[in-house]
Amino acid sequence: MRCLILIFLCCLPSIVKAQTNCDLYKDRAHKTACQLYWKAIEYNQGSNKSQELFQQSLQACPTFGPSLHEMSVPYLKRGDFYNWKQLMDRAVKADPIWLSDRGWCLFKFLHDYKNSFNDLKRLYDINKGQPGYSGDGDYDLRIVMALNQRQMGNYSTALAYFKECITDNEKKNGVGLFDYLHLGVTRMMVKDYKGAITDLDRETKKYEKLADTYYYLGLCYKKLGQRKNAFNSFTKAYSLFTKTGYHRNDPYCEEPDKVYLSDIENELKTFK
């Protein structure tokens, strides 16, 4: 089996979300904006031609959400957060459906946990507890809401959102790939090491070869004085990280609860 580095691109063009039948629009402005939108996405993302067509689309209809969103993405990838947010604010004003992308990207790129949570909570309320999924499809946005609350130090609120989301998705066999990991790390932060181990063990059953999980298991076992289990977990994390490349990684920014090789090596040194 070839090595795999987990790369999760965030806030890529939500083409599926933005798909629309231009013939459904009755007014000329929206129909023209829609047609220009579809022309724009035929070109490379961020290219002059693509952006020019999005501009024309917005000239036809300044509140056409799909064009506002897609035009914003290249700015986000370049780190031009000001222009990204200007466009996304207009998209959200036009249609609250874009709260999901703005909230996700505020969390992912800007680490603006308060405003990210506010966006997602607003969408949560609008959709009666179902805010949808992150731009990359990896997260039920209730997990992101929980991570936002955790980052703001509100651990009990974070745990409540984790439990709600995971319990709901367990019924549908739809628990996210990293949900148990984040829940386990959160329990570890509040010194519930046994509870954390239970959740992290569940993560290993969800995704057996993730180095990050074994690192956190090692930390929990170490806190409980179970040095043999801790050493074995750190060793497993090291092996997965160095020999197979199974660890959390992202080309744009640091992933939640990401572990570095130096973290694992530093823990292993304490056993010498």
Side-chain angles (χ1 to χ4, degrees):
M1 182 181 295
R2 65 183 180 87
C3 294
L4 172 65
I5 295 179
L6 295 174
I7 297 178
F8 298 99
L9 306 181
C10 52
C11 295
L12 294 180
S14 300
I15 298 299
V16 174
K17 179 186 294 183
Q19 280 182 347
T20 183
N21 183 350
C22 299
D23 291 333
L24 294 177
Y25 292 107
K26 302 304 181 184
D27 62 291
R28 178 178 292 275
H30 279 86
K31 183 172 290 188
T32 301
C34 179
Q35 291 168 344
L36 288 165
Y37 161 82
W38 282 110
K39 288 182 180 179
I41 64 173
E42 292 176 1
Y43 294 90
N44 290 334
Q45 186 184 72
S47 66
N48 288 336
K49 187 62 177 177
S50 177
Q51 295 295 83
E52 286 172 3
L53 285 165
F54 283 134
Q55 284 281 18
Q56 292 175 30
S57 173
L58 294 173
Q59 287 170 4
C61 181
T63 60
F64 192 68
S67 289
L68 287 165
H69 173 260
E70 298 304 322
M71 189 175 179
S72 77
V73 175
Y75 292 112
L76 182 74
K77 289 185 174 181
R78 292 197 294 264
D80 184 349
F81 300 125
Y82 176 82
N83 281 307
W84 165 76
K85 192 169 183 298
Q86 292 294 305
L87 290 163
M88 281 303 301
D89 288 350
R90 288 170 59 189
V92 169
K93 187 176 180 180
D95 189 339
I97 190 175
W98 303 109
L99 285 165
S100 61
D101 285 329
R102 189 175 71 178
W104 165 240
C105 292
L106 285 171
F107 168 79
K108 182 81 171 181
F109 285 90
L110 278 74
H111 298 174
D112 184 350
Y113 305 117
K114 180 179 179 181
N115 285 313
S116 172
F117 178 80
N118 289 341
D119 273 358
L120 300 180
K121 180 60 165 63
R122 181 180 162 195
L123 193 60
Y124 176 96
D125 292 338
I126 291 171
N127 292 337
K128 297 179 172 56
Q130 299 293 332
Y133 287 83
S134 58
D136 58 7
D138 287 329
Y139 288 106
D140 183 312
L141 287 170
R142 287 174 291 181
I143 295 296
V144 181
M145 292 171 69
L147 289 169
N148 277 316
Q149 287 294 322
R150 188 184 81 180
Q151 291 302 117
M152 291 188 286
N154 303 323
Y155 297 110
S156 60
T157 304
L159 286 168
Y161 279 116
F162 276 126
K163 291 176 185 176
E164 175 192 323
C165 181
I166 290 173
T167 299
D168 185 23
N169 285 325
E170 281 177 337
K171 297 173 184 176
K172 300 177 287 188
N173 195 28
V175 176
L177 195 58
F178 307 110
D179 293 1
Y180 293 128
L181 169 67
H182 298 316
L183 175 58
V185 172
T186 306
R187 289 196 196 278
M188 185 186 75
M189 289 177 171
V190 297
K191 300 182 181 181
D192 178 10
Y193 302 117
K194 291 183 179 179
I197 288 171
T198 297
D199 290 321
L200 293 168
D201 279 338
R202 293 162 84 188
E203 179 67 30
T204 64
K205 293 178 175 61
K206 182 75 178 178
Y207 185 12
E208 183 181 1
K209 297 182 178 181
L210 186 63
D212 312 62
T213 306
Y214 293 95
Y215 169 78
Y216 288 112
L217 275 169
L219 292 181
C220 291
Y221 284 127
K222 186 176 179 181
K223 287 291 186 179
L224 292 173
Q226 299 180 29
R227 288 182 59 82
K228 182 177 180 180
N229 285 335
F231 177 76
N232 290 340
S233 295
F234 290 133
T235 302
K236 178 77 169 179
Y238 181 83
S239 177
L240 287 170
F241 199 110
T242 58
K243 294 180 181 179
T244 65
Y246 285 88
H247 60 91
R248 303 213 68 198
N249 192 36
D250 186 281
Y252 293 106
C253 44
E254 184 172 297
E255 292 278 31
D257 299 327
K258 172 184 171 60
V259 171
Y260 292 90
L261 181 59
S262 59
D263 297 325
I264 303 169
E265 290 174 334
N266 287 338
E267 289 298 335
L268 284 170
K269 287 177 184 177
T270 66
F271 290 87
K272 293 181 179 180

